[in-house]
Amino acid sequence: MVSADGAAPQGAAPSKGPRPLFVALGAVALLLVLLAAWAYFGLFGGPPPDVDESDLTGGWKGNRGGQMHFREDGRFSAEGIALSAACAPADAPPGENARVAGTGTWKLGEIHDEGPGALITFRPEGGSGGGAGSCEMKAVFVGPDSPTSLYLTHDDGGGQVYERK
């Protein structure tokens, strides 16, 4: 019972307010909702594009002259693309300007921490510098709105932008 002046009667326990466990659970629930919204909308303010194999198939031209072609049957070919030293053939000229051609296979996939794109197994003409017959590359769609640009990367993190031809 409360007295006329609004004070709790003598001997009554003071109100504790919200219990700490409920406050902590509410904070965790809010954090999960915010994390899910961030995962859905991504860093660029929109959902990732809905892509399928047809968004990749066809020709792509690089901003430094390279060309790639993704075929419907999962085959891949490229000309004039830059590769890391681990992937470039032993007879490729050294340095950033080394360009190679080759073939391989691709499959559509979700690239960890990067979004949708293609996982490519590439066999450069002349073999690879490390003695292996092939190397792995990724072609990730650039931007959240339209699958018209790809960013081709390899193990060393270097890359190049390609636009649909």
Side-chain angles (χ1 to χ4, degrees):
M1 183 170 199
V2 177
S3 65
D5 63 0
Q10 279 188 338
S15 173
K16 292 183 180 182
R19 296 190 180 256
L21 178 61
F22 291 123
V23 171
L25 289 175
V28 168
L30 179 62
L31 180 63
L32 289 174
V33 168
L34 291 174
L35 187 59
W38 177 79
Y40 179 75
F41 289 107
L43 294 174
F44 299 107
D50 292 326
V51 298
D52 59 26
E53 284 83 2
S54 68
D55 292 312
L56 273 166
T57 56
W60 297 80
K61 184 171 175 75
N63 60 358
R64 289 185 272 173
Q67 295 187 38
M68 303 186 299
H69 191 82
F70 294 86
R71 291 180 176 77
E72 289 178 2
D73 64 1
R75 291 185 297 149
F76 173 83
S77 62
E79 296 175 0
I81 63 171
L83 293 178
S84 67
C87 189
D91 62 351
E96 239 177 75
N97 296 322
R99 301 285 175 191
V100 299
T103 60
T105 59
W106 70 275
K107 65 179 178 175
L108 186 66
E110 186 74 20
I111 313 298
H112 179 69
D113 290 337
E114 297 181 46
L119 301 166
I120 303 165
T121 301
F122 185 67
R123 289 177 297 283
E125 291 176 358
S128 69
S134 64
C135 58
E136 302 297 317
M137 299 187 306
K138 302 176 281 188
V140 181
F141 285 107
V142 178
D145 299 326
S146 176
T148 59
S149 296
L150 289 172
Y151 186 69
L152 179 68
T153 63
H154 15 83
D155 291 336
D156 70 355
Q160 183 176 349
V161 176
Y162 285 78
E163 301 289 331
R164 180 157 310 271
K165 287 201 252 181

